[in-house]
């Protein structure tokens, strides 16, 4: 089923600047959700809830009449009903979710979400019956050639037949859907991390604000913020540990019931991605880990550390760039940059700012990090950030606007063909980052500014390689152990430190790592293995950007075709649109080599700076 597309992203780990920042008064600070509904109590919201209930009943009535002799007519009716269902669920649940993200204490939004989920869960049984029937059709391939709608859905229908082996028999799907109505564990994690009190230098603040201080140009601020952040987790670590244990046990149980070899195999199948592709990418990453450790040690040495870089200095700005930016500045910069790439993208960026798609600033109760959500009922997206005025925040906006552009590129598909998988989800967003950073580096006016920009980009890439790899290793360890034991907070911290050791190695000071990354990262509390897709997206986008640099404007139509293809093809077939073989380790090595060249450049600049 299509879902409201979210990309969750923490603040990009690049930031430069040190001067005092003041919000401007020219742009609305919060997004406008009224084009969806005017409120949770709006009559339109209630009417759509009623329509959803009626649609579920229609699906139940249809499923009871199966099997039908007229396969073509039955398929068309089934698809039409599911399209109606998906559009209503996405609109209702999407709105409630956006309201809750803006204020995690919004109990009305949580209640509304619960009502939608309950109605949606009731569709599980008839949908399972429909899929079982589709899976049994021997003439499916012939049918898809007889009707334009069925032809559009050929890939989806083939997937249904392929996935039949993992469908639960009898009332199994209905039971699982009812048991999955509540996202209480994930909601609890979000609530705890967005409301926990952080005590910093005699004041109380929130987690998003304290994590933003990691980008300060004051070393004492960075260190004190790091210590305050670690201290605040002590108050919430135990309930979050229960949440993580419960979510992962549910994942393991679901995989066993459905006959998947492992949660990773389930993720790869759902992502339409081969294990050979993942192995090729991870293998290339492992080969290049020593290069990243070289960069981390060089940065640590430049900052006066002899035992590697302490965690609190991972995002310390290097070089000199004191620029601070307002949201108006961000709009101007992004529109100018993307105008040189593609007018359609630039026009969408203008709309995003002018039509109030964006919720900009951090505040108590608001979700941390950043994400983009496609709102298909109005043909738009909504973006949440925690803007603080740094250049890194402009990169964040570029990233999330990339997701919005991806949503726009797939909007011409039929409703059930608008869901892209996790690995390809980060393609457009990371490509946008490449566009912004390449332009900024080209326009650097001094040695110090060049260092600041290139090193900030390396911070980002180090996150999608070293940190993401550590998260992949950590989640693998958790899933391997959860069936045998409950892992308390101390055990989870130990696993996280072990994963960081395997990934960062001697690049980080062993005395100053981050044992609580499993608490602050929301990725563990949603989709399984929502980590390696960031590495995939980052490296895949670098490969695509290298093609753009070689081919110029001729590449753009093929790039947009590639984005549109992401919802109706495997990851490997998507890459073939650009002539790329994802199972070939050489492709991933090539992307990583471009990073290695930047590391050599930065290490040289850091060495020059000491002389």
């Amino acid at each position: 089923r299509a879902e409201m597309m979210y990309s969750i992203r923490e603040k990009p780990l690049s930031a430069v600047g040190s001067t005092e920042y003041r919000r401007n008064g020219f742009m609305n600070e919060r997004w406008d959700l009224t084009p969806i509904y005017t409120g949770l109590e709006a009559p339109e919201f209630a009417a759509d809830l009623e329509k959803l209930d009626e649609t579920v009943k229609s699906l139940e009535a249809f499923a009871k009449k199966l099997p039908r002799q007229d396969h073509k007519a039955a398929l068309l009716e089934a698809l039409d009903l599911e399209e109606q269902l998906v559009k209503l669920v996405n609109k209702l649940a999407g709105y409630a979710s956006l309201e809750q993200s803006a204020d995690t204490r919004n109990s009305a939004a949580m209640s509304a979400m619960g009502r939608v989920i309950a109605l949606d869960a009731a569709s599980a049984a008839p949908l399972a019956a429909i899929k079982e029937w589709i899976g049994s059709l021997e003439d499916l391939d012939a049918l898809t050639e007889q009707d334009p709608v069925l032809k559009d859905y050929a890939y989806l229908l083939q997937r249904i037949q392929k996935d039949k082996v993992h469908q639960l028999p009898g009332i199994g799907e209905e039971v699982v859907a009812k048991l999955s109505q509540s996202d209480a564990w994930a909601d609890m994690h979000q609530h705890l991390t967005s409301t926990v009190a952080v005590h910093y230098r005699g004041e109380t603040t929130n987690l998003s604000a304290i994590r933003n201080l990691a980008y300060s140009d004051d070393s004492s601020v960075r260190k004190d913020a790091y210590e305050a952040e670690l201290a605040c987790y002590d108050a919430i670590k135990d309930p979050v540990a229960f949440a993580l244990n419960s979510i992962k046990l549910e994942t393991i149980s679901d995989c066993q019931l459905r006959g998947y070899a492992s949660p990773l195999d389930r993720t790869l199948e759902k992502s339409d991605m081969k294990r050979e592709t993942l192995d090729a990418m991870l293998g290339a990453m492992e080969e290049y880990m020593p290069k990243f450790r070289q960069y981390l040690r060089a940065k640590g040495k430049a900052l006066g550390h002899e035992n590697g870089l302490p965690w609190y200095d991972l995002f310390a700005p290097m070089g000199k760039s004191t620029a601070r930016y307002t949201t108006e500045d961000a709009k101007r910069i992004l529109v100018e940059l993307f105008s040189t790439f593609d007018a359609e993208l630039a026009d969408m960026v203008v709309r995003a700012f002018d039509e109030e798609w964006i919720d900009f600033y951090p505040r108590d109760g608001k979700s941390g990090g950043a994400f983009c959500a496609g709102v298909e009922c109005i043909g738009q997206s909504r973006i949440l950030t925690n803007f603080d005025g740094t250049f890194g925040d402009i990169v964040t906006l570029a990233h999330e606007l990339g997701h919005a552009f991806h949503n726009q590129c797939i909007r011409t598909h039929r409703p059930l063909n608008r869901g892209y998988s996790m690995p390809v989800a980060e393609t457009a967003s990371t490509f946008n980052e490449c566009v912004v950073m390449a332009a900024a580096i080209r326009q650097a006016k001094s040695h110090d500014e060049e260092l600041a920009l290139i090193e900030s980009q390396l911070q980002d890439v180090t996150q999608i390689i070293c940190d993401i790899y550590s998260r992949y290793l950590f989640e693998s360890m958790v899933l391997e152990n959860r069936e045998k034991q409950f892992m308390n907070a101390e055990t989870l911290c130990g696993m996280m430190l072990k994963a960081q050791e395997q990934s960062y190695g001697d690049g980080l000071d062993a005395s100053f790592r981050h044992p609580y990354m499993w608490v602050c990262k929301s990725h563990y509390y949603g989709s399984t293995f929502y980590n390696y897709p960031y590495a995939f997206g980052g490296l895949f986008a670098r490969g695509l950007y290298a093609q753009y640099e070689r081919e110029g404007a001729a590449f753009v139509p093929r790039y947009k075709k590639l984005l549109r293809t992401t919802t109706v093809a495997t990851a490997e077939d998507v890459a073939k649109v650009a002539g790329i073989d994802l199972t070939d380790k050489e492709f991933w090595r090539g992307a990583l080599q471009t990073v290695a060249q930047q590391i050599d450049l930065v290490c040289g600049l850091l060495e020059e700076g000491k002389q």
Side-chain angles (χ1 to χ4, degrees), residues 364-405:
D364 287 346
K366 177 180 172 180
S367 294
F371 67 72
C372 175
V375 189
E376 298 312 306
C377 60
I378 57 173
Q380 299 177 6
S381 293
R382 287 297 180 268
I383 291 168
L384 179 144
T385 72
N386 281 274
F387 193 89
D388 198 38
T390 68
F391 185 75
D393 292 310
I394 294 179
V395 179
T396 294
L397 284 167
H399 180 101
E400 300 307 339
L401 287 163
H403 287 298
F405 187 62

Side-chain angles (χ1 to χ4, degrees), residues 279-281 283-284 287 581-590:
D279 289 343
M281 182 185 74
E287 290 177 8
D581 180 2
L582 295 179
T583 64
D584 186 353
K585 193 184 286 187
E586 283 305 312
F587 166 73
W588 304 104
R589 285 174 176 147

